[in-house]
Amino acid sequence: FLIHIRPVSGRYYRFFAVSGRLVVLESGGSGKDLWEKDLELLDVDTIDQWGKDLPIHLKENFSHWFCRKRNVLLFRTIKFNRREVFFVIASKVCKQVPAHLRDEKAWENLLEKADEMDSLVLHESSFLDTLSKFEGKEWIHSYLTKAKNETAKYTLRLHFFRYDLSFVLEEGYLQCLEIVGFKLSKGQQLETCLRTFKSYLMLERSENESIVEHKMLVPVGPITVSSREGVGVAVTDRHKGSDCKFYIY
């Protein structure tokens, strides 16, 4: 095998071939324990064998580093020398690492803070059907997050990661986290206009319901017209990161 003589950003790397496949190991310790907690870069071609239920975003936009000794999988950026951890799978649970913990130099410390993280889950609901007018279901991440009220320990958070837009289920409504004071409206179709246009979400004021106020969110993109689907907005798959924009009316 091959090994780096000098560390790269504080880590050593080993390279060797197994059955025609290149294996890359990253050192995880120091001194005599240099390779005690090494991380193996998983081959992206094998992801459907161990992560077939993961969202597209986690499959395609991250590198996957596996610690066999701890049975832990880390999701980092594609750049090998950027070691911020965005997601971690331990004990068969996928946790989203909050921004203030991503720079943790010792990734093992993240496991001790797992209770602070939201859990990625699979789910189907009428809420998801409604939100899919705006964004495809495959691009919406569902999480269990700690509830603010005392009636339940956890609640549902739906994250449009490409738009950096989130909704949290509170008292039967989806509250928008980024547009404070507004929730997803029960009525999602304007009756007097835009009857064939469906690529939008309607929000209504939630803090003071005596004041009738609505906001309409529309994704930025080219307009499409179809006899079957009506009028919509095309957001292509090339926006696999988080660069999508939307208008607020």
Side-chain angles (χ1 to χ4, degrees):
F1 61 85
L2 299 177
I3 184 172
H4 275 174
I5 297 176
R6 296 182 179 87
V8 179
S9 300
R11 293 288 186 272
Y12 288 89
Y13 292 88
R14 280 178 172 174
F15 306 87
F16 55 94
V18 176
S19 301
R21 181 175 64 89
L22 177 65
V23 176
V24 180
L25 298 180
E26 179 184 274
S27 63
S30 59
K32 295 181 179 180
D33 298 326
L34 183 63
W35 298 100
E36 182 68 16
K37 295 174 291 185
D38 57 17
L39 296 172
E40 178 183 343
L41 178 62
L42 297 184
D43 190 337
V44 67
D45 293 333
T46 66
I47 195 168
D48 285 332
Q49 299 176 15
W50 53 264
K52 62 183 180 64
D53 293 328
L54 290 174
I56 296 176
H57 180 47
L58 271 68
K59 291 181 179 181
E60 299 186 356
N61 293 334
F62 295 94
S63 59
H64 312 98
W65 297 84
F66 183 54
C67 179
R68 294 188 179 278
K69 184 170 184 178
R70 298 289 300 272
N71 197 29
V72 172
L73 182 62
L74 308 179
F75 292 74
R76 306 193 320 204
T77 62
I78 301 298
K79 295 182 179 180
F80 79 96
N81 59 344
R82 294 290 301 275
R83 301 198 179 97
E84 303 97 323
V85 178
F86 289 79
F87 294 87
V88 57
I89 295 181
S91 302
K92 299 182 179 181
V93 178
C94 183
K95 295 282 189 174
Q96 183 187 38
V97 180
H100 69 280
L101 293 178
R102 289 173 188 165
D103 290 329
E104 179 64 60
K105 293 183 179 180
W107 59 262
E108 305 96 307
N109 294 339
L110 295 176
L111 304 181
E112 300 174 2
K113 302 174 182 178
D115 290 342
E116 302 177 28
M117 306 177 192
D118 293 349
S119 300
L120 182 68
V121 295
L122 298 174
H123 104 283
E124 288 287 340
S125 68
S126 58
F127 290 127
L128 201 58
D129 292 336
T130 299
L131 295 175
S132 65
K133 297 195 314 170
F134 184 92
E135 175 67 304
K137 290 183 180 181
E138 67 272 22
W139 303 107
I140 301 175
H141 291 177
S142 303
Y143 297 94
L144 284 181
T145 186
K146 288 186 177 180
K148 292 182 179 179
N149 56 53
E150 298 180 356
T151 58
K153 187 175 181 180
Y154 296 100
T155 189
L156 183 67
R157 176 171 68 90
L158 300 171
H159 184 213
F160 297 30
F161 73 90
R162 298 198 297 177
Y163 295 90
D164 197 19
L165 189 65
S166 298
F167 292 87
V168 173
L169 183 61
E170 294 180 359
E171 298 179 355
Y173 288 92
L174 286 177
Q175 303 285 345
C176 184
L177 295 182
E178 288 73 24
I179 305 176
V180 180
F182 282 83
K183 62 187 178 183
L184 193 69
S185 177
K186 287 185 176 180
Q188 283 296 313
Q189 188 66 39
L190 294 174
E191 297 180 358
T192 57
C193 61
L194 301 176
R195 293 185 178 180
T196 60
F197 184 58
K198 299 180 179 179
S199 298
Y200 62 88
L201 293 177
M202 293 297 300
L203 306 184
E204 62 184 36
R205 180 173 289 279
S206 57
E207 292 183 338
N208 187 352
E209 298 185 358
S210 62
I211 301 177
V212 179
E213 184 179 355
H214 293 86
K215 291 184 182 293
M216 183 169 68
L217 310 185
V218 182
V220 174
I223 300 298
T224 62
V225 180
S226 168
S227 58
R228 181 179 179 181
E229 301 293 336
V231 181
V233 176
V235 181
T236 64
D237 289 349
R238 68 181 180 86
H239 298 286
K240 293 183 178 180
S242 56
D243 297 329
C244 292
K245 307 295 182 183
F246 61 92
Y247 299 110
I248 302 178
Y249 297 101

